[in-house]
Amino acid sequence: MDFAAAFTRDPQAAPYPVRCDASAAAVFAVLAAVLALTVDDGRPPDALGWALLLAAHVPLAWRRRAPMPVLLAMVACVVPYHALDYMHLAPIPASMTALYTVASTGRPRRTLFVGLSVTSVTLTIQVFVNPHEMVELLRVSGWVIAMLVFGASIRLYRQLVAGVVERAEREAERKVAEERLRIARDLHDLLAHSITLIGVQTSVAAHVLVADPDRLDREALVKALDGITETCREARSEVRTTLDVLRATPEGPLPDLASLPDLVRTSGADLTVRTGSAKVPAAVGAAAYRIVQESLTNAVRHGSPGADLSVDVGLEKDVLTVRVTNGGSAPGGTGGSGYGILGMRERARSVGGTLSAGPRDGGGFEVAAELPLPGREVTV
């Protein structure tokens, strides 16, 4: 039996409560009979005494279903039993169990009321039966109070454990939601970038095929088709990585600054990385990669044909700067669903950074992000 679980679990939600309590009541009844026959703490029970003693144990079978009615039923049997000066110790285990159940399942006000009532009844009986036994009077009252305090303590402990479990479940749900949001951003960035590049390369291939069939530029056609193949291969690899994160651990391999050359090369942009030997944290590197990826996707999708694209990643003190510039006009740069720029801002915010995106003064469109590097270390 797991005693820790028994104390932390709600007693009224336990499986088979009546069956378990009936078994416990039978054990208490046997114990009471043994005490009544072996302990000299009053006169031996006669037929009436045995009837009252055994009848007091019957309600215990429903102690978790109806704690107060069970206690009242036991009091109705135990009070005359003690008043007739039968073996006083015999019904004590069952009586203490009923008191504990009331205290561990009820509110403090009810526990206080029960404690005062039971103590008053006990003292009254003790005064009439043994008026000169002050030590016995204090002992009985102390047991009643101790059992009520113990039951109330168990109830407070269960509430504390339930609160801790609830907070842990909420925290787990929050982490799951954050991980789902991260994966959704990864899939959005990946698929949007790859599909846009495939669309552009397919358009180039179609243009080569229909522009001048008599003078087919096979080299340009092969280059476009090879680009489509490479983009599909990279997209498939990244989708597999993302799905592996879903299947395995919440933390998976993340893209970083070392992956930027391959990413930028497929879009034809100029790349400048000025981070030196700085060690960029994985989360910051992944955020920078995804910001560049989404920026290039938007530039290819909305920018003017032949526009100059440039990507600059640098380090200023403890801040990683990312700047993606589209030299052409971008009339549709802020169109679409709006999730691209919103996603980039969320990416930057997730690592404590900021991001701005909008038209440039000299024309074109620019995305600029500043991502702080906590605890940056430089390798020698």
Side-chain angles (χ1 to χ4, degrees):
M1 180 179 179
D2 190 350
F3 289 98
F7 280 119
T8 57
R9 181 181 56 199
D10 183 1
Q12 295 175 322
Y16 311 111
V18 176
R19 183 189 306 175
C20 295
D21 290 339
S23 302
V27 173
F28 280 123
V30 173
L31 176 62
V34 172
L35 293 175
L37 294 173
T38 58
V39 177
D40 185 12
D41 189 24
R43 65 191 184 94
D46 52 17
L48 178 59
W50 283 113
L52 290 173
L53 180 61
L54 296 179
H57 290 77
V58 175
L60 282 179
W62 295 274
R63 69 180 184 90
R64 282 184 281 187
R65 288 287 181 87
M68 279 302 297
V70 166
L71 179 63
L72 294 176
M74 287 197 65
V75 169
C77 297
V78 170
V79 167
Y81 178 89
H82 287 297
L84 294 173
D85 198 23
Y86 292 118
M87 295 293 187
H88 295 288
L89 186 60
I92 293 300
S95 302
M96 294 297 106
T97 301
L99 285 173
Y100 162 78
T101 304
V102 170
S104 63
T105 58
R107 296 182 178 180
R109 182 178 301 177
R110 190 182 76 174
T111 302
L112 179 61
F113 174 75
V114 170
L116 293 176
S117 301
V118 173
T119 304
S120 300
V121 173
T122 303
L123 294 179
T124 302
I125 295 174
Q126 190 69 25
V127 167
F128 281 103
V129 175
N130 295 314
H132 304 294
E133 294 289 341
M134 294 302 298
V135 176
E136 182 68 15
L137 188 67
L138 295 175
R139 182 175 67 84
V140 173
S141 302
W143 274 109
V144 171
I145 295 174
M147 190 55 61
L148 291 174
V149 170
F150 177 65
S153 301
I154 292 298
R155 180 182 58 82
L156 294 176
Y157 175 69
R158 285 173 180 151
Q159 291 179 348
L160 176 62
V161 171
V164 171
V165 171
E166 184 181 359
R167 286 194 296 272
E169 290 177 349
R170 287 201 303 265
E171 180 67 16
E173 291 176 356
R174 184 185 66 81
K175 289 183 178 180
V176 169
E178 290 179 352
E179 183 62 21
R180 286 177 177 173
L181 181 59
R182 185 182 73 84
I183 294 172
R185 289 172 182 163
D186 285 345
L187 289 175
H188 170 270
D189 296 343
L190 166 65
L191 296 178
H193 177 76
S194 301
I195 292 173
T196 300
L197 289 179
I198 290 173
V200 172
Q201 292 160 345
T202 304
S203 299
V204 172
H207 176 74
V208 171
L209 286 173
V210 301
D212 192 354
D214 297 332
R215 292 189 302 171
L216 181 63
D217 190 347
R218 296 181 180 275
E219 183 179 351
L221 179 61
V222 170
K223 183 178 180 181
L225 295 178
D226 286 343
I228 294 174
T229 302
E230 185 176 356
T231 302
C232 290
R233 186 184 302 113
E234 292 176 355
R236 183 171 62 251
S237 176
E238 290 206 31
V239 168
R240 184 184 298 113
T241 300
T242 304
L243 294 179
D244 287 340
V245 173
L246 285 174
R247 296 189 188 102
T249 60
E251 296 296 333
L254 299 175
D256 53 14
L257 298 183
S259 305
L260 285 179
D262 292 336
L263 172 68
V264 173
R265 177 170 47 81
T266 58
S267 63
D270 295 328
L271 173 64
T272 303
V273 178
R274 300 177 291 102
T275 57
S277 58
K279 202 172 183 181
V280 178
V284 177
Y289 179 92
R290 293 307 185 190
I291 290 172
V292 172
Q293 184 181 53
E294 179 65 22
S295 300
L296 294 177
T297 300
N298 291 339
V300 172
R301 180 185 302 165
H302 302 295
S304 302
D308 295 330
L309 295 178
S310 63
V311 177
D312 181 86
V313 179
L315 197 62
E316 298 178 3
K317 295 184 179 179
D318 291 337
V319 177
L320 183 71
T321 61
V322 179
R323 193 176 305 275
V324 181
T325 305
N326 178 10
S329 60
T334 58
S337 64
Y339 289 119
I341 295 178
L342 178 62
M344 288 189 290
R345 286 202 176 101
E346 289 297 325
R347 286 280 181 187
R349 190 179 296 119
S350 67
V351 293
T354 59
L355 182 139
S356 61
R360 301 172 61 203
D361 293 337
F365 200 84
E366 182 179 77
V367 175
E370 294 184 354
L371 311 177
L373 304 181
R376 181 170 67 89
E377 298 179 1
V378 179
T379 58
V380 181

